[in-house]
Amino acid sequence: MEFTLLIVIIVLALIFDYINGFHDAANAIATVVATKVLTPFQAVVWAAFFNFLAYWVFGFGVADTVAKTANTMDINLVVILAGVIAAIIWNLFTWWQGIPSSSSHTLIGGFAGAAIAHAGFGVVSWYNVGKDGGMPSGVLIIVAFIILAPLLGALMSYLISIWLLNASKKSIYPKIFTASLMILTIWFVESQMIYYDQIKDPRFDSPFWSVAFESHNIKWFLVAFIVLSISTFCLIFSSLNLNQATAWLKKMQLLSSAAFSLGHGGNDSQKVMGIIAAAVAVYIHTSGVAQESLPAWLDVVLPNDDGAFKMPTWIPLACYSAIAAGTLSGGWKIVKTMGSKITKVTSFEGVAAETAGALTLYFTEHFKVPVSTTHTITGSIIGVGLTKRVSAVRWGMTVSLLWAWVLTIPISAILAAIIYYIFSIFI
């Protein structure tokens, strides 16, 4: 019975990941569709490709955090089953209504709500102090980023927009600022690199290729590439006429949407990995099966005091494949909301919003914070709207979105608790 439940949870988790893909496809493609840089079909193929490519870029930091949402020693598989089902129901409902709510918070809210119904509030990891001065974790930190993620996205997109606007002027000062930023970016990214003697399991015998393809390094290479690409454009922006500038911005939008799709895949797929890892840990605890006797495809080790966290390759591959397949299915109702109902979006706004969203996702993933890609890109779109005037943002729609964001975790939690109580009668 326990093993059957585990298989059902894994299947449902991957179904949720697929739904997450088409629910959140709008996050990555709304602006490129709204600005007609790509057709809807081209946009979803583009986004799906980079969703899957994220497998080689990101580690398991966010999966680590999600797996520790509740103490796996104090829950059972019915808890996780109820949480996943509640997340699927809320995701489908908000998709049907065209509401860009957070799939991430839906999943965490469902997991936490079912756990509370099973063992009380103490079973949830509300707040954990960060190790060695690092970022704290826990459900309260995730809740805090309901506000912080869109604010960070808005602030970053606003600053990028101001940077681009000033770069279009024939003045030496924006060019001095841009050149200084390029030097600062190269210095910062170099300081974040992991070199050959620090890599635990090098992928290649060659030190150069091992460093170049270390997933931690690839993420920072991408950050450098994004910033340096925009910087290069800023250096020549003032010498371009309107048609040339528009053509360049449309090409850059392909880069920014690809960067955001990478962040979306890397952030959201890891949440499902964390749920599957937690389910395997609970199965081991409740069934009495020894870790050593598990088949190789279930050889999952949850985070411990040494920071170790491993899972068989099929889990991340399946999760990244599912979210990419979901993105290919599109999410046209939410695309309309994101691409036109918040503020009018041109290629200029698209580049600023997607770049800001991508950088926000990369940095939060670095600190293992499972933020909402939906909240991040919505905040970024609002940020570029504010550079024109406050009234350029359709605040009525924005307030409606805020209500959906605030209610997602409690509604998912309550729904999961009800499902848990019903399942407890029969299982």
Side-chain angles (χ1 to χ4, degrees):
M1 179 65 176
E2 293 285 332
F3 186 74
T4 302
L5 269 179
L6 176 62
I7 299 301
V8 170
I9 288 169
I10 291 172
V11 171
L12 286 176
L14 292 175
I15 290 173
F16 171 85
D17 205 19
Y18 172 83
I19 294 170
N20 186 353
F22 74 72
H23 186 283
D24 289 2
N27 298 344
I29 71 172
T31 59
V32 287
V33 172
T35 56
K36 296 182 171 59
V37 172
L38 294 175
T39 66
F41 177 74
Q42 289 171 334
V44 293
V45 172
W46 183 256
F49 173 74
F50 286 99
N51 273 176
F52 183 75
L53 200 63
Y55 169 72
W56 286 276
V57 177
F58 297 96
F60 300 138
V62 172
D64 175 330
T65 301
V66 172
K68 294 187 290 188
T69 298
N71 187 348
T72 54
M73 299 299 288
D74 296 328
I75 61 175
N76 56 29
L77 289 176
V78 178
V79 167
I80 301 178
L81 179 64
V84 173
I85 291 175
I88 289 173
I89 291 171
W90 182 245
N91 244 15
L92 287 174
F93 174 77
T94 52
W95 165 76
W96 184 254
Q97 295 298 315
I99 302 170
S101 67
S102 169
S103 298
S104 311
H105 293 154
T106 303
L107 187 62
I108 290 166
F111 189 11
I116 292 169
H118 173 72
F121 285 89
V123 73
V124 175
S125 298
W126 296 104
Y127 182 84
N128 302 308
V129 178
K131 295 180 182 178
D132 301 322
M135 185 77 180
S137 61
V139 172
L140 291 179
I141 299 300
I142 296 169
V143 170
F145 271 85
I146 292 176
I147 303 298
L148 291 177
L151 283 180
L152 286 172
L155 176 62
M156 197 169 294
S157 65
Y158 181 83
L159 293 175
I160 291 172
S161 298
I162 296 298
W163 176 28
L164 287 167
L165 286 170
N166 281 282
S168 66
K169 300 174 182 177
K170 294 185 182 296
S171 171
I172 190 64
Y173 297 110
K175 291 180 174 58
I176 292 173
F177 171 80
T178 299
S180 301
L181 184 62
M182 293 173 80
I183 294 170
L184 185 63
T185 299
I186 293 169
W187 169 80
F188 175 77
V189 170
E190 192 279 332
S191 70
Q192 299 297 316
M193 291 293 100
I194 294 178
Y195 290 99
Y196 189 71
D197 58 345
Q198 300 171 298
I199 300 175
K200 293 180 181 179
D201 298 306
R203 296 186 182 183
F204 306 94
D205 294 330
S206 165
F208 174 81
W209 292 115
S210 294
V211 171
F213 285 95
E214 175 66 22
S215 60
H216 173 90
N217 293 344
I218 293 174
K219 177 173 62 182
W220 291 114
F221 289 150
L222 285 169
V223 169
F225 181 70
I226 292 166
V227 176
L228 294 177
S229 296
I230 294 180
S231 298
T232 303
F233 172 74
C234 286
L235 290 175
I236 64 170
F237 196 1
S238 62
S239 64
L240 303 175
N241 60 40
L242 180 60
N243 290 334
Q244 289 172 327
T246 301
W248 272 98
L249 283 168
K250 287 188 174 183
K251 291 175 183 176
M252 288 175 59
Q253 215 179 339
L254 292 174
L255 168 65
S256 61
S257 65
F260 189 85
S261 294
L262 271 172
H264 173 222
N267 198 285
D268 284 21
S269 289
Q270 285 191 57
K271 293 153 191 169
V272 177
M273 291 181 219
I275 290 293
I276 293 175
V280 174
V282 171
Y283 169 73
I284 292 170
H285 171 64
T286 56
S287 66
V289 176
Q291 178 90 36
E292 297 75 21
S293 62
L294 283 175
W297 64 276
L298 283 179
D299 186 19
V300 174
V301 176
L302 278 183
N304 54 38
D305 293 334
D306 298 326
F309 184 38
K310 74 170 185 175
M311 61 179 72
T313 304
W314 74 266
I315 295 178
L317 272 177
C319 290
Y320 281 112
S321 298
I323 199 168
T327 299
L328 272 174
S329 303
W332 309 118
K333 291 187 177 184
I334 299 175
V335 168
K336 185 177 180 181
T337 300
M338 300 291 284
S340 61
K341 291 188 178 180
I342 296 174
T343 189
K344 184 180 179 182
V345 177
T346 66
S347 292
F348 178 92
E349 284 86 12
V351 169
E354 289 162 349
T355 301
L359 292 175
T360 302
L361 290 179
Y362 291 178
F363 279 97
T364 52
E365 194 279 338
H366 177 69
F367 290 108
K368 303 181 180 181
V369 181
V371 301
S372 166
T373 55
T374 305
H375 296 183
T376 302
I377 193 62
T378 303
S380 299
I381 293 173
I382 291 171
V384 294
L386 290 174
T387 59
K388 292 179 281 190
R389 59 187 186 282
V390 175
S391 61
V393 178
R394 297 184 175 95
W395 293 106
M397 172 57 65
T398 303
V399 170
S400 299
L401 297 181
L402 285 172
W403 274 112
W405 297 353
V406 171
L407 293 174
T408 288
I409 287 182
I411 288 179
S412 300
I414 292 169
L415 185 60
I418 293 170
I419 293 171
Y420 170 78
Y421 287 131
I422 293 172
F423 280 1
S424 296
I425 296 173
F426 301 102
I427 302 178

